[in-house]
Amino acid sequence: MLHKVDLRLQLLIGMMIYAACMYLAQFPSSFEGFAFFYSFGCGVGMGIVYFLPVLAAWSYLPHIRPICAGTILSWFSLSGIGYAELAIKTLNPNNEKSPILIKSG
């Protein structure tokens, strides 16, 4: 799909799939339905847009392709780790236990 469809259209398609599946993940009453939308659907959407920054960097810096790919994909992973830590520090700064008790699930 990389060279057959315009990159902006690929970005739009991947973003729409990701956003739609993220929205639909709140409605299933079973864990299997939630896991399908959240993991499979969002994974397909993210997979469509995952390689686009690397392709753009390769077109501008063709002589150092391994460095471009490694740098971009490393920061892609590290940003997820960083935002997870930021969310934990923002949402629960004192590490308090939840008052909600789960009986089954």
Side-chain angles (χ1 to χ4, degrees):
M1 191 163 127
L2 279 175
H3 299 291
K4 297 185 190 304
V5 179
D6 183 43
L7 297 179
R8 290 184 185 115
L9 183 60
Q10 285 183 35
L11 185 63
L12 180 67
I13 291 169
M15 178 202 59
M16 294 300 286
I17 291 171
Y18 184 85
C21 288
M22 185 66 76
Y23 177 74
L24 292 172
Q26 68 179 328
F27 295 114
S29 59
S30 67
F31 178 74
E32 290 81 13
F34 167 77
F36 173 76
F37 283 115
Y38 192 75
S39 62
F40 180 73
C42 291
V44 168
M46 185 59 70
I48 291 173
V49 300
Y50 187 75
F51 200 69
L52 296 178
V54 175
L55 186 65
W58 283 357
S59 66
Y60 287 102
L61 304 165
H63 302 295
I64 54 171
R65 284 184 170 190
I67 295 171
C68 290
T71 304
I72 290 170
L73 298 179
S74 295
W75 280 107
F76 186 81
S77 301
L78 290 172
S79 68
I81 295 169
Y83 282 120
E85 289 296 319
L86 178 66
I88 291 169
K89 300 287 187 219
T90 303
L91 298 174
N92 191 5
N94 299 327
N95 199 19
E96 298 172 359
K97 294 201 180 242
S98 174
I100 300 171
L101 297 176
I102 299 174
K103 295 182 181 178
S104 64

